[in-house]
Amino acid sequence: ITIFVEAVSNGGNLLLDIGPKADGTIPPEQIHILKELGKWNRKNGEAIFGTLAGLPQGHFYGPSTMSKDSMTVYLFLPAQTSGNVMVKGLVNDIKDIQVVGTAQHLQHKVVGKISWSPVPGLVFINVPETVKDEYITVLKLTLDKPVKLYRGQGGLN
């Protein structure tokens, strides 16, 4: 699932090397992989299918995708992620954060935003243990308008 998410978040596809044995049966370990990937995709498919490559490197430390209208960003969090997740350089206001495949909504806080500066603050999202997926948790960030990222050098630009 991790390899699959990495490929999709970079705008690619993943071909699974699943093949039958000489007698035509599929090995049990390959069946397990297919079933687990299918289960995860049923829960998180909106963040995978029909999406575009996500945020450029440096804005989020992990894979991400976004909707075709760029009004939704999906963040993929490996199972070992704990505590706060950070997004840098997001100029947009976040209207909602939902854990995909659940009814759970999360809060965020912006730290370091100075009113007179064009530099956006850092977005911190606390992800409680209780909402985590056994493989990869997906957060859906609904934005106020299409994604706009700060690409300057800071200061008074």
Side-chain angles (χ1 to χ4, degrees):
I1 293 173
T2 302
I3 295 167
F4 175 64
V5 165
E6 286 287 340
V8 171
S9 72
N10 285 298
N13 293 306
L14 179 68
L15 297 175
L16 299 175
D17 187 16
I18 302 290
K21 298 190 291 187
D23 66 359
T25 62
I26 306 287
E29 54 277 351
Q30 292 184 359
I31 291 172
H32 176 72
I33 290 169
L34 290 172
K35 285 184 176 182
E36 291 301 299
L37 182 58
K39 181 175 81 172
W40 187 87
N41 272 327
R42 275 189 296 282
K43 178 181 176 186
N44 298 288
E46 74 174 87
I48 297 291
F49 304 108
T51 60
L52 305 171
L55 300 174
Q57 188 174 12
H59 289 280
F60 173 68
Y61 297 108
S64 64
T65 58
M66 67 178 75
S67 60
K68 288 185 178 177
D69 66 2
S70 300
M71 300 266 303
T72 305
V73 175
Y74 298 95
L75 306 178
F76 297 87
L77 314 175
Q80 63 271 23
T81 303
S82 62
N84 284 323
V85 172
M86 181 177 66
V87 179
K88 295 166 54 176
L90 183 63
V91 175
N92 301 75
D93 288 329
I94 298 172
K95 293 171 32 179
D96 184 49
I97 301 172
Q98 181 179 5
V99 180
V100 175
T102 74
Q104 182 75 39
H105 294 264
L106 303 177
Q107 299 298 313
H108 71 284
K109 64 180 175 180
V110 177
V111 176
K113 172 64 180 145
I114 303 170
S115 62
W116 50 263
S117 173
V119 180
L122 303 173
V123 175
F124 286 93
I125 306 163
N126 186 273
V127 183
E129 291 290 328
T130 56
V131 302
K132 291 189 179 175
D133 183 86
E134 66 179 303
Y135 298 112
I136 294 180
T137 304
V138 183
L139 301 184
K140 175 183 181 179
L141 281 60
T142 304
L143 307 176
D144 62 337
K145 56 187 179 253
V147 171
K148 183 176 180 191
L149 298 171
Y150 180 76
R151 305 293 278 177
Q153 300 299 316
L156 298 171
N157 290 350

